[in-house]
Amino acid sequence: MTRGKFITLEGGEGMGKSSCLDVIVSTLDKHGITSVSTREPGGTALGEQLRGVLLDKNNTDIAPDAELLMMFAARAQHLDHVIRPAIDRGDWVISDRFTDASFAYQGGGRGMPAESIKVLEQWLHKDINPDLTVLLDAPVEVGLQRIVHRGEKDRFERERVEFFERVRATYLSRAEQFPERFRVVSSEHALEEMKLAVRKHIIELIHRSESDD
């Protein structure tokens, strides 16, 4: 059986990931590809419980080490129970955030050493890495303005602008470091333009996949 592909969707706050996730799913569906949509932290019962802890605005004293380890605990469960089984049975997986988010948020944002994150990445990923990472990018101020009307902010959304600037810089640095799998899409302008760009990258991956077969 042909293994499925793994697509990750990354970006800071207010970048429009939910809208792009819908585009990816519909594009795959039109090409007859069965897909599984998921998210991080989350994706499993345990992952969603950890998500609740990590996003709870009242948990103001979580140590950076604890935050990083909880992210990877949720990811370990996610890989074992959702991502790896789906790929092995031939489905395509689309995850709203994955390990690049740990490098960006816990690494860039919190200042955790990239080497520590790499150790956890190598330990847990094994044979699973994204085939395509779509990074939605816009100036931090643009994204933060979009989340103003969402309601009460979670623990991450309450961070200072400087935190999100470091997150964005780390994302863009990783896109330069891994150009073979990253595709940077501007989310600063019209939503339809962003959706068209995302759809184009998904179709390119589908064609590559067909060529490989």
Side-chain angles (χ1 to χ4, degrees), residues 165-184:
E165 293 287 2
R166 294 193 298 273
V167 168
R168 184 191 184 201
T170 305
Y171 267 135
L172 292 173
S173 176
R174 288 187 65 76
E176 290 182 1
Q177 187 179 357
F178 303 104
E180 71 283 355
R181 70 173 172 88
F182 266 89
R183 299 294 181 269
V184 181

Side-chain angles (χ1 to χ4, degrees), residues 20-71:
C20 287
L21 184 62
D22 292 340
V23 169
I24 295 172
V25 172
S26 64
T27 302
L28 294 177
D29 185 59
K30 287 178 182 177
H31 285 79
I33 297 171
T34 302
S35 65
V36 174
S37 302
T38 187
R39 68 178 182 177
E40 289 206 350
T44 65
L46 176 61
E48 292 298 330
Q49 290 175 28
L50 288 169
R51 180 186 181 89
V53 173
L54 287 160
L55 270 58
D56 188 338
K57 63 181 177 61
N58 296 311
N59 292 333
T60 57
D61 61 346
I62 297 178
D65 284 344
E67 179 179 289
L68 177 64
L69 290 171
M70 279 192 282
M71 287 290 185

Side-chain angles (χ1 to χ4, degrees), residues 58-96:
N58 296 311
N59 292 333
T60 57
D61 61 346
I62 297 178
D65 284 344
E67 179 179 289
L68 177 64
L69 290 171
M70 279 192 282
M71 287 290 185
F72 270 93
R75 185 163 297 133
Q77 191 81 350
H78 198 200
L79 279 162
D80 191 66
H81 287 261
V82 177
I83 297 173
R84 188 170 282 108
I87 291 174
D88 285 346
R89 67 175 177 259
D91 293 346
W92 287 35
V93 176
I94 312 106
S95 183
D96 181 345

Side-chain angles (χ1 to χ4, degrees), residues 33-165:
I33 297 171
T34 302
S35 65
V36 174
S37 302
T38 187
R39 68 178 182 177
E40 289 206 350
T44 65
L46 176 61
E48 292 298 330
Q49 290 175 28
L50 288 169
R51 180 186 181 89
V53 173
L54 287 160
L55 270 58
D56 188 338
K57 63 181 177 61
N58 296 311
N59 292 333
T60 57
D61 61 346
I62 297 178
D65 284 344
E67 179 179 289
L68 177 64
L69 290 171
M70 279 192 282
M71 287 290 185
F72 270 93
R75 185 163 297 133
Q77 191 81 350
H78 198 200
L79 279 162
D80 191 66
H81 287 261
V82 177
I83 297 173
R84 188 170 282 108
I87 291 174
D88 285 346
R89 67 175 177 259
D91 293 346
W92 287 35
V93 176
I94 312 106
S95 183
D96 181 345
R97 294 207 172 111
F98 191 57
T99 302
D100 290 301
S102 289
F103 282 97
Y105 279 79
Q106 284 73 56
R110 301 281 187 227
M112 296 293 293
E115 300 309 317
S116 298
I117 303 173
K118 285 179 183 177
V119 169
L120 294 169
E121 176 186 36
Q122 291 167 1
W123 176 24
L124 293 180
H125 280 212
K126 298 181 177 68
D127 59 333
I128 299 293
N129 282 295
D131 296 284
L132 172 68
T133 298
V134 177
L135 173 60
L136 303 179
D137 178 67
V140 169
E141 293 78 6
V142 172
L144 295 181
Q145 185 60 40
R146 290 172 179 166
I147 67 172
V148 168
H149 304 296
R150 280 186 185 174
E152 194 169 26
K153 293 181 179 179
D154 65 36
R155 192 172 68 89
F156 284 98
E157 292 171 342
R158 290 167 178 260
E159 290 292 340
R160 296 173 180 270
V161 171
E162 294 79 11
F163 173 89
F164 294 111
E165 293 287 2

